Amino acid sequence: DLVGSAFVFPQESETAHVQVTAKLRQPLDNFTVCLRSYTDLTRPHSLFSYATKKQSNEILLFKPKPGQYELAVGNKLLFFTVPITLGESEHVCVSWESSTGIVGFWFNGKPWPRKGLQKGYTVGVPASILLGQEQDSFGGGFDAQQSFVGEISSVYMWDTGISHSEVVSALYDSPQQTPIFGWRNFPYKLVGEVYLKP
């Protein structure tokens, strides 16, 4: 149970990342990813990267600059503009459903206008899932200029959509719906210089 802890990425690197060791057996027609990040980076950086052998940006949650988040599904991109916060952690959730392509986005528990992407697509398995680096190949191809520096915590992934009340529950690390993996049962391996700290 990692509640009350965070992964700390102390410096820019092309190696440091957290490998999520959960094994996904089924391709995804829906997913939700939530996480909290705390950084003062102003350059582009990767938060959550899900790659398959065929597609390195199968799911990517990326921050190109302060005040903007990017979601890729099957290498197609969407952008969400958010307030620029200084000295505060940011909690985001993104959900996607294949049947409509609709993407939900929540910033610090507040829903943003929904958008659409990759209707009819299926997210493949097996996956290499990483925090803190962007994969340009399966489990590798990192660029230090896109590496995360700071703290990441409260990471969850579901193979379903998510309701507003569930987003709020994830915000407080008490999800009602069982995730594929989450902060209370988080399967991980640290690679390079990254630490789990209270």
Side-chain angles (χ1 to χ4, degrees):
D1 189 332
L2 301 188
V3 173
S5 304
F7 292 124
V8 180
F9 299 78
Q11 58 194 18
E12 185 173 298
S13 88
E14 53 182 47
T15 51
H17 63 278
V18 176
Q19 199 178 339
V20 182
T21 54
K23 293 278 180 278
L24 279 70
R25 290 180 172 64
Q26 301 291 327
L28 301 172
D29 290 323
N30 303 276
F31 70 80
T32 301
V33 172
C34 296
L35 59 80
R36 182 180 288 287
S37 66
Y38 188 30
T39 182
D40 59 2
L41 286 175
T42 53
R43 63 161 172 75
H45 55 277
S46 177
L47 295 163
F48 181 97
S49 170
Y50 175 121
T52 58
K53 295 256 186 345
K54 278 192 211 155
Q55 179 55 265
S56 59
N57 292 340
E58 191 72 275
I59 302 172
L60 178 65
L61 183 57
F62 192 82
K63 212 165 167 203
K65 60 183 184 186
Q68 193 174 62
Y69 281 86
E70 173 187 314
L71 173 70
V73 178
N75 211 29
K76 296 275 193 300
L77 306 182
L78 263 187
F79 294 91
F80 290 92
T81 302
V82 299
I84 293 177
T85 62
L86 275 177
E88 287 175 47
S89 67
E90 297 184 359
H91 184 271
V92 292
C93 288
V94 290
S95 71
W96 171 82
E97 64 181 25
S98 173
S99 60
T100 60
I102 286 177
V103 172
F105 181 87
W106 290 262
F107 181 75
N108 290 338
K110 186 172 180 266
W112 248 234
R114 285 172 279 199
K115 298 181 182 183
L117 186 70
Q118 289 285 47
K119 180 180 175 178
Y121 188 77
T122 300
V123 172
V125 288
S128 165
I129 305 175
L130 305 183
L131 308 176
Q133 294 281 1
E134 200 246 320
Q135 305 177 74
D136 286 328
S137 58
F138 189 76
F142 305 143
D143 174 357
Q145 286 301 303
Q146 295 182 323
S147 68
F148 179 78
V149 181
E151 306 183 15
I152 293 179
S153 61
S154 300
V155 184
Y156 294 88
M157 183 175 191
W158 291 267
D159 55 3
T160 58
I162 195 169
S163 65
H164 179 64
S165 65
E166 187 67 20
V167 169
V168 174
S169 302
L171 190 66
Y172 295 107
D173 286 312
S174 55
Q176 292 116 35
Q177 211 175 309
T178 309
I180 303 171
F181 54 82
W183 211 231
R184 291 184 177 274
N185 59 335
F186 198 74
Y188 71 94
K189 184 178 154 200
L190 302 178
V191 182
E193 198 180 354
V194 50
Y195 303 97
L196 180 67
K197 288 296 202 187

